[in-house]
């Protein structure tokens, strides 16, 4: 064991000399680190067909959060799978080693994989591809906060690009509760100081919620306020995603 | 022989796409006879390539390289280590290559691609053996602390010539790398200097190394070719690689010296002249890639 430890030197990433002044989030009138309004989302960039090898794919950037999702299939299910009348959905989310400020292992994110699966399965018309599997694979290139909602929205864009039948696009937005304030689309720094968070995944044109997660300390009126905020942002995001898809189609027709 | 005879009869009436899928080898050979490839390239031409530096904000150096559809994202993160007793004044470079399931329909989660570790080893061999990086430059204090540069290359889209794109992105990431300025605190640990706290803090924590760029002794470029019968196809796509299985990869440095040459078996046994042709094609390709990389670097400096 000692020999092994010598050949693989342990490393650490150097920390900053002085701790950054913790931003005072609890004040009534603080400013968000990136200067946004409380109810303002980060500038987003969306593009479909980012990966040529996949049946459909999308690249989405929300501020520093950058995600690629590829969709493969419908293709043959694993041999061990039993016969199924409806299609199967298989989701996987992983991170690059350089996604986080401290170098990570780049391993699969099991929790996000299952959350992504649950967020999408209600929106996909699984009956349209019996006996087969659709694979949705996400890679987080850089995490800058609100990773899961960005992954989910990006995945639904990729599914649409792959021509998988869905009842509607799936959009996701999260809100953090910091003291008295609700901030939408939080960055990593805000997430690390939050008292609670709420994420809604919905089908914007049908006004249906596929997933809602709530963590931390909340009061009932705050929950209502946060849900209103999220649903409003989701429907706006839905429009942006729709126009992104339309644009891609009109370009390919030319 | 039965299949080729059948295809002869069917050729006239079959659609091009069906023919391409059913008789891929004949499809490609028909193109080769006309000295053209399915994507309208001449045999010796590489695909259009681009390099963009600084693609990952959370890394110390990063680059995205595209050769045709093949896309690679490379990023370097600098960490501190204790140098080994044999080389107390040298840092270290750790290179890894990943093929996440997003890049190709043949990679599934939990079942990594077989080629990934092969390419990781080739990358690491080429970069360390060429002396591109002077490991002494990564030293901080002799025997106590040195930099460990973690280079991770991710394949985002796999469409052939993976090694060439991976090497291009790795080299570009090294030329973008900014080594942070650091000092040593009371506990003997290395800490980064942020730019703001320059004035009063300098007295107790002397800066041991300023923020700087790495000097690259030479720059490596490579070209993969396919050998098939008497033909040489430069920069193959994934489809070409799957149909014609003899590959030759040549790595040259910027002054056209041979760094490495791989010809991992394959059904075609190459004559020395074929290998020399591959090297000549690579020499031409190095000039193209050098220009692309220089443009990317000067674009970065303008911003």
């Amino acid at each position: 064991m000692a020999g092994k430890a010598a050949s693989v030197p342990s490393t650490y990433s150097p920390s900053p000399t002085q701790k950054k002044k913790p931003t005072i989030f609890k004040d009534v009138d603080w400013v968000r680190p990136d200067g946004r309004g409380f109810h303002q989302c980060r500038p987003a960039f969306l593009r479909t067909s980012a990966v040529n090898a996949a049946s459909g794919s999308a690249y989405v950037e929300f501020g520093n959060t950058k995600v690629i999702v590829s969709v493969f299939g419908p293709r043959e299910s694993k041999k061990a799978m039993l016969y199924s009348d409806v299609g199967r959905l298989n989701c996987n989310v992983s991170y690059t080693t350089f996604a986080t400020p401290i170098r990570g292992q780049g391993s699969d994110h099991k929790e996000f994989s299952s959350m992504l699966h649950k967020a999408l399965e209600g929106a996909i018309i699984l009956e349209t591809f019996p006996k087969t599997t659709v694979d949705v694979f996400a890679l987080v290139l850089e995490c800058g906060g609100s990773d899961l909602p960005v992954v989910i929205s990006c995945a639904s864009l990729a599914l649409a690009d792959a021509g998988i039948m869905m009842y509607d696009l799936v959009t996701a937005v999260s809100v953090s509760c910091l003291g008295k304030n609700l901030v939408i689309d939080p960055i990593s720094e805000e997430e690390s100081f939050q008292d609670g968070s709420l994420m809604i995944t919905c089908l914007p044109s049908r006004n249906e919620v596929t997933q809602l997660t709530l963590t931390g300390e909340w009061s009932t009126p705050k929950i209502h306020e946060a849900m209103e905020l999220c649903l409003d942002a989701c429907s706006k995001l839905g429009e942006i995603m729709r126009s992104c898809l339309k644009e891609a189609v009109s370009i390919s027709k030319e | 022989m039965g299949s080729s005879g059948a295809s002869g009869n069917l050729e006239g009436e079959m659609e091009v796409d069906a023919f391409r899928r059913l008789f891929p080898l004949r499809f490609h050979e028909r193109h080769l006879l006309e000295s053209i490839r399915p994507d309208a390239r001449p045999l010796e031409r590489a695909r259009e390539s681009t390099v963009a530096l600084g693609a990952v904000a959370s890394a110390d150096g990063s680059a995205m390289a595209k050769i045709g559809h093949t896309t690679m994202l490379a990023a370097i993160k600098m960490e501190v280590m204790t140098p080994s007793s044999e080389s107390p004044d040298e840092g270290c470079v750790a290179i890894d290559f990943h093929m996440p399931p997003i890049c190709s329909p043949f990679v599934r989660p939990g079942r990594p691609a077989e080629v990934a570790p092969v390419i990781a080893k080739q990358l690491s061999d080429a970069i360390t053996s060429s002396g591109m990086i002077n490991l002494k430059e990564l030293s901080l204090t002799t025997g106590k602390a040195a930099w460990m540069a973690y280079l991770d290359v991710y394949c985002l889209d796999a469409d052939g010539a993976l090694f060439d794109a991976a090497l291009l992105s790795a080299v570009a990431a090294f030329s973008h790398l900014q080594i942070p300025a650091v000092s040593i605190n009371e506990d003997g640990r290395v800490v980064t200097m942020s730019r703001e706290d320059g004035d009063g803090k300098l007295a107790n924590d002397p800066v041991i190394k300023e923020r700087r760029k790495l000097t690259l002794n030479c720059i490596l470029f490579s070209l993969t070719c396919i050998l098939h019968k008497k033909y040489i196809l430069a920069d193959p796509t994934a489809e070409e690689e799957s149909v014609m299985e003899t590959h030759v990869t040549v790595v040259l440095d910027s002054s056209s010296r041979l760094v490495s040459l791989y010809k991992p078996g394959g059904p075609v046994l190459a004559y020395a002249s074929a290998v020399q042709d591959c090297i000549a094609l690579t020499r031409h390709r190095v000039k193209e890639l050098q220009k692309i990389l220089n443009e990317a670097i000067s674009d970065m400096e303008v911003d």
Side-chain angles (χ1 to χ4, degrees):
Chain A
M1 280 310 283
K4 202 181 172 190
S7 65
V8 184
S10 58
T11 59
Y12 62 91
S13 74
S15 51
T17 27
Q18 57 178 68
K19 286 273 171 293
K20 261 191 226 159
K21 254 189 269 165
T23 327
I24 306 130
F25 288 114
K26 313 292 165 179
D27 260 13
V28 187
D29 43 28
W30 54 276
V31 185
R32 296 179 74 171
D34 49 5
R36 272 184 293 155
F38 290 164
H39 297 172
Q40 195 182 354
C41 289
R42 288 173 290 180
F45 172 80
L46 304 95
R47 206 185 78 188
T48 54
S49 305
V51 180
N52 189 55
S55 320
S57 62
Y59 170 78
V60 170
E61 203 178 294
F62 268 71
N64 272 337
T65 307
K66 294 168 188 159
V67 173
I68 291 191
V69 176
S70 288
V71 172
F72 296 95
R75 58 186 178 184
E76 191 186 359
S77 294
K78 272 188 209 148
K79 297 280 187 297
M81 294 276 198
L82 291 173
Y83 173 83
S84 156
D85 276 343
V86 295
R88 286 194 174 86
L89 178 69
N90 177 30
C91 296
N92 179 269
V93 179
S94 57
Y95 277 69
T96 58
T97 55
F98 44 78
T100 44
I102 306 285
R103 186 176 180 270
Q105 288 304 309
S107 54
D108 290 356
H109 200 303
K110 292 269 162 55
E111 187 197 346
F112 280 6
S113 302
S114 99
M115 297 273 276
L116 175 63
H117 185 270
K118 285 172 188 154
L120 293 175
E121 68 177 347
I124 298 173
I125 311 176
L126 294 168
E127 290 80 13
T128 54
F129 48 98
K131 298 185 271 183
T132 51
T133 303
V134 166
D135 288 304
V136 178
F137 298 141
L139 181 68
V140 180
L141 301 178
E142 213 180 320
C143 65
S146 308
D147 298 347
L148 183 60
V150 177
V151 167
I152 293 170
S153 308
C154 185
S156 95
L157 206 55
L159 282 163
D161 184 47
I164 306 291
M165 297 272 265
M166 289 187 285
Y167 295 108
D168 190 9
L169 286 169
V170 184
T171 58
V173 172
S174 68
V175 161
S176 278
C177 181
L178 289 153
K180 287 193 179 67
N181 300 306
L182 290 177
V183 295
I184 200 162
D185 192 21
I187 58 169
S188 306
E189 194 187 347
E190 290 165 337
E191 280 183 322
S192 62
F193 287 103
Q194 72 192 4
D195 301 315
S197 88
L198 178 135
M199 184 187 79
I200 283 190
T201 305
C202 72
L203 311 179
S205 13
R206 294 161 61 103
N207 229 352
E208 287 173 333
V209 173
T210 65
Q211 193 174 52
L212 186 149
T213 56
L214 188 79
T215 59
E217 223 175 282
W218 288 87
S219 63
T220 316
K222 269 261 156 17
I223 294 180
H224 283 298
E225 197 190 332
M227 277 178 63
E228 286 302 314
L229 256 177
C230 275
L231 287 171
D232 183 47
C234 278
S235 70
K236 280 177 186 151
L237 179 58
E239 278 162 37
I240 295 170
M241 284 162 60
R242 210 169 286 277
S243 68
C244 165
L245 286 165
K246 279 183 188 157
E247 221 169 88
V249 170
S250 66
I251 288 168
S252 67
K253 269 185 185 163
E254 275 165 16
Chain B
M1 288 321 286
S3 70
S4 68
S7 74
N9 304 332
L10 283 167
E11 263 166 46
E13 53 214 76
M14 201 185 281
E15 278 183 38
V16 179
D17 272 347
F19 184 65
R20 186 177 195 162
R21 276 173 172 259
L22 290 171
F23 309 105
L25 188 60
R26 284 183 66 94
F27 174 81
H28 283 275
E29 282 179 345
R30 285 278 290 268
H31 280 83
L32 292 177
L33 278 176
E34 311 288 331
S35 300
I36 194 93
R37 294 156 75 173
D39 54 5
R41 273 187 292 160
L43 303 194
E44 69 284 356
R45 172 137 1 124
R47 288 167 290 175
E48 205 170 295
S49 313
T50 54
V51 172
L53 300 183
V56 183
S58 56
D60 297 299
S62 62
M64 169 119 93
K66 284 188 87 148
I67 297 182
H69 285 301
T70 301
T71 310
M72 295 287 169
L73 182 66
I76 302 169
K77 271 196 174 283
M78 303 297 282
E79 294 201 351
V80 178
M81 62 159 192
T82 317
S84 66
S85 49
E86 299 100 72
S87 49
D89 57 347
E90 283 186 0
C92 200
V93 177
I95 297 167
D96 208 354
F97 177 75
H98 310 259
M99 287 182 76
I102 63 156
C103 78
S104 150
F106 304 107
V107 188
R108 306 272 176 113
R111 251 195 298 163
E114 282 171 17
V115 292
V118 178
I119 293 176
K121 183 76 171 68
Q122 286 182 343
L123 272 180
S124 162
D125 283 352
I127 289 172
T128 48
S129 69
S130 65
M132 180 173 98
I133 293 148
N134 183 0
L135 293 178
K136 292 208 164 44
E137 262 190 63
L138 295 174
S139 174
L140 286 168
T141 47
T142 304
K144 291 240 176 66
W147 286 113
M148 170 75 122
Y150 286 104
L151 167 68
D152 288 283
V153 182
Y154 276 84
C155 177
L156 304 183
D157 197 347
D159 188 20
L162 298 183
F163 176 78
D164 298 349
L167 184 66
L168 180 60
S169 69
V171 166
F174 272 116
S175 50
H176 174 252
L177 176 64
Q178 290 268 6
I179 302 176
V182 287
S183 61
I184 291 185
N185 68 4
E186 306 88 54
D187 311 329
R189 276 175 79 87
V190 175
V191 289
T192 52
M193 306 284 298
S194 44
R195 280 173 173 177
E196 304 87 65
D197 57 23
D199 29 63
K201 295 277 167 193
L202 286 172
N204 46 1
D205 290 347
V207 181
I208 45 175
K209 283 279 164 40
E210 293 292 340
R211 186 179 163 85
R212 66 209 155 108
K213 291 210 105 170
L214 205 59
T215 8
L216 302 179
N217 295 328
C218 59
I219 293 192
L220 306 181
F221 295 109
S222 72
L223 180 69
T224 300
C225 295
I226 281 185
L227 301 183
H228 184 70
K229 299 192 172 157
K230 62 180 168 107
Y231 304 104
I232 298 176
L233 289 81
D235 184 28
T237 60
E239 189 189 2
E240 287 167 338
E241 281 184 351
S242 68
V243 176
M244 296 167 279
E245 288 170 346
T246 312
H247 308 169
V248 175
T249 301
V250 182
V251 185
L252 297 180
D253 71 4
S254 30
S255 36
S256 283
R257 285 177 300 184
L258 185 65
V259 175
S260 60
L261 195 150
Y262 301 98
K263 196 235 174 229
V268 176
L269 305 174
Y271 287 106
S273 64
V275 174
Q276 266 161 6
D277 289 345
C278 289
I279 296 175
L281 284 173
T282 311
R283 211 173 288 145
H284 178 72
R285 177 71 172 153
V286 166
K287 290 196 191 92
E288 284 176 19
L289 290 173
Q290 182 100 59
K291 192 162 163 263
I292 291 165
L293 182 60
N294 286 345
E295 274 167 15
I297 292 170
S298 58
D299 279 358
M300 195 70 201
E301 276 158 7
V302 168
D303 305 338

